[in-house]
Amino acid sequence: HYDPEFSTFTYGEGSDNKAAILKNLKKNDLLIFYASLSPPIQKNPVKKYIIGYFIIDKIYNFRKNLGGIPLTYNDEPADKIVNNIHIRLRLELEPVIAVGDPDQSKLLNKAIPLTESSENGKYHIYPELKNRLLWDKPTDVLHRGVRIFKKDYQVENFIKLINGDGPTELYERSIY
């Protein structure tokens, strides 16, 4: 299903672990999306690419176990989230929905390479990207799930990188 969706900038989560992290995001936090992509004529090598981001405007928490109020659908959900697949298809009654500021969030026109291809399921972040973001993890392996930047300069560096102010070799990489 299409989630995140980049027409009204919403992303929903129903699983406890991801929803718990998503519900704690605040206005102006950065939520980055990446995808596994491979050339159309072959299945490998798959790499990870940054495809877009949200600057958070609002979080809707409908998870009762996370302090929210479950949806009843008696009243229409807020206009900002009606396009989210969790709401449209009623995938669950208790999602957490993040809404990005439409003036600051975007789907990229060209995906930005994030990792090397992987043979063993471990994706290593490109060294020049790791250095640019001042990656503070002990490993360069990208883990599935949520990565929280703890320092403002990491967010600033990431926004610059996405807007083309990063290492030249990163943008010149063949996408295959």
Side-chain angles (χ1 to χ4, degrees):
H1 60 268
Y2 293 106
D3 195 27
E5 64 83 18
F6 288 94
S7 58
T8 57
F9 301 101
T10 67
Y11 171 68
E13 199 46 75
S15 70
D16 279 344
N17 292 339
K18 289 182 185 175
I21 293 169
L22 199 60
K23 79 148 183 114
N24 288 319
L25 292 176
K26 298 177 273 329
K27 188 171 180 73
N28 295 319
D29 279 351
L30 173 66
L31 183 59
I32 303 160
F33 300 100
Y34 64 88
S36 299
L37 303 174
S38 66
I41 56 173
Q42 66 189 61
K43 292 186 179 186
N44 288 319
V46 172
K47 297 179 183 181
K48 303 289 184 181
Y49 294 83
I50 299 166
I51 61 164
Y53 66 94
F54 292 173
I55 301 295
I56 297 297
D57 181 43
K58 186 161 178 58
I59 299 292
Y60 291 86
N61 178 11
F62 299 108
R63 290 202 67 92
K64 186 176 175 183
N65 68 328
L66 298 177
I69 299 171
L71 282 165
T72 64
Y73 290 99
N74 294 334
D75 297 320
E76 285 298 311
D79 288 345
K80 288 185 173 187
I81 61 172
V82 293
N83 286 340
N84 186 270
I85 198 74
H86 293 266
I87 302 300
R88 281 196 359 236
L89 297 183
R90 299 179 183 194
L91 294 179
E92 63 261 324
L93 292 176
E94 298 185 356
V96 174
I97 309 287
V99 179
D101 179 333
D103 295 326
Q104 299 183 75
S105 305
K106 71 176 169 180
L107 174 63
L108 302 179
N109 290 325
K110 182 179 178 185
I112 297 174
L114 179 61
T115 69
E116 303 278 359
S117 59
S118 173
E119 298 284 328
N120 60 4
K122 292 184 179 180
Y123 294 90
H124 296 272
I125 294 172
Y126 285 117
E128 62 271 22
L129 185 58
K130 183 180 170 186
N131 294 339
R132 175 69 179 203
L133 295 177
L134 302 173
W135 190 260
D136 58 0
K137 295 291 182 187
T139 176
D140 65 352
V141 174
L142 181 69
H143 295 282
R144 190 163 188 258
V146 176
R147 161 91 162 82
I148 298 171
F149 290 125
K150 295 186 175 161
K151 299 173 179 74
D152 289 342
Y153 66 80
Q154 290 172 303
V155 173
E156 291 168 15
N157 282 349
F158 191 84
I159 295 291
K160 287 178 185 176
L161 179 106
I162 283 186
N163 289 314
D165 182 17
T168 307
E169 60 271 21
L170 186 66
Y171 307 107
E172 292 175 351
R173 259 186 222 290
S174 165
I175 102 171
Y176 304 117

